[in-house]
């Protein structure tokens, strides 16, 4: 009886050993397969970057001044007032406009080539209140009331909108800064995923980033 038990225990031990060995091999194979899949996996850069929508890369505050001066021969004293208010500008890239043909990925050389949508700039808003910079109101003259100040502000704001549309000075500086920051941003995204980035741009030559 003792001899039979020993044989049974020995056979059971061998079975467990074989099963354990097979289980270990399967785990190694699964790990190897997972690593291979991870190595071969390529992020969908187009989908990831396209859904970013508007990306703001630069902003600017412009201070505008408005002056009201009313004089009349039949009125005593001066009536001069100078006010200022801030207008906020921003420059952005609208990634909704990125097309699948604008981006290509070379997994062999680990290079992303992308043509970004053009940088755009716009008036983002303005300060709600006028700031008083200077007033010279004669003792017999009335100060500008809220309605007059609001009219002054609307007129100055409309003038600036025309200036912003017709004069490229503001846009050029703002959009140039935004383009540099946009390139740096996408370089960092590419590098984080293990890729170099090359920009194909109408305004700039292809830029190669060396690691």
């Amino acid at each position: 009886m003792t001899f039979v038990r020993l044989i049974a225990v020995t056979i059971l031990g061998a079975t467990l050993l074989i099963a354990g060995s097979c289980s270990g091999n399967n785990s190694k194979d699964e790990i190897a397969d997972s690593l291979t899949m991870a190595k071969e996996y390529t992020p969908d850069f187009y989908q990831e970057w396209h859904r970013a929508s508007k990306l703001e890369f630069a902003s600017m505050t412009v201070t505008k001044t408005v002056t009201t001066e009313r004089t009349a021969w039949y009125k005593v004293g001066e009536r001069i007032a100078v006010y200022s208010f801030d207008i906020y500008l921003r420059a952005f890239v609208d990634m909704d406009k990125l097309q699948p043909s604008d981006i290509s990925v070379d997994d062999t050389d680990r290079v992303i080539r992308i043509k970004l949508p053009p940088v755009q700039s716009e008036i983002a808003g303005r300060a709600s209140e006028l700031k008083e910079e200077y007033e010279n109101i004669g003792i017999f003259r009335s100060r500008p009331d809220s309605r007059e100040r609001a009219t002054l502000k609307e007129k100055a704001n409309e003038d600036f909108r025309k200036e912003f549309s017709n004069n490229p000075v503001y846009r050029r500086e703002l959009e140039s800064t935004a383009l540099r920051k946009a390139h740096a941003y996408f370089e960092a995204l590419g590098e984080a995923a293990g890729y170099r980035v090359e920009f194909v741009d109408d305004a700039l030559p292809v830029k190669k980033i060396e690691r």
Side-chain angles (χ1 to χ4, degrees), residues 19-88:
S21 176
C22 291
S23 176
N25 288 337
N26 288 339
S27 297
K28 290 178 181 178
D29 290 342
E30 291 173 0
I31 292 172
D33 290 342
S34 298
L35 291 174
T36 300
M37 290 175 64
K39 184 176 180 181
E40 294 177 351
Y41 170 71
T42 301
D44 190 338
F45 292 104
Y46 170 73
Q47 290 296 335
E48 291 181 6
W49 295 356
H50 177 263
R51 64 170 173 254
S53 192
K54 279 188 177 182
L55 293 175
E56 181 179 325
F57 290 105
S59 61
M60 178 188 296
T61 300
V62 177
T63 300
K64 299 297 293 183
T65 59
V66 291
T67 302
T68 179
E69 181 175 359
R70 294 184 179 181
T71 59
W73 66 269
Y74 55 86
K75 291 187 177 181
V76 178
E78 294 184 327
R79 187 181 186 273
I80 303 172
V82 180
Y83 304 99
S84 69
F85 69 101
D86 292 334
I87 297 176
Y88 310 114

Side-chain angles (χ1 to χ4, degrees), residues 130-176:
L130 289 174
K131 292 183 291 186
E132 180 182 310
E133 301 293 343
Y134 172 80
E135 275 191 350
N136 183 4
I137 310 297
I139 190 170
F140 298 108
R141 305 297 299 274
S142 62
R143 299 182 71 255
D145 59 17
S146 59
R147 178 180 294 183
E148 184 178 350
R149 290 197 298 270
T151 301
L152 287 170
K153 184 177 179 181
E154 287 302 321
K155 177 65 167 58
N157 187 62
E158 184 60 30
D159 289 345
F160 180 76
R161 287 185 180 278
K162 293 178 181 178
E163 182 182 359
F164 182 74
S165 298
N166 300 327
N167 189 339
V169 172
Y170 295 111
R171 299 196 309 275
R172 186 184 300 119
E173 180 181 349
L174 193 61
E175 292 173 8
S176 176

Side-chain angles (χ1 to χ4, degrees), residues 53-57 91-95 116-120 178 182 186:
S53 192
K54 279 188 177 182
L55 293 175
E56 181 179 325
F57 290 105
F92 60 91
V93 175
D94 188 356
M95 296 303 290
L116 291 174
V119 174
Q120 301 177 68
F186 286 101

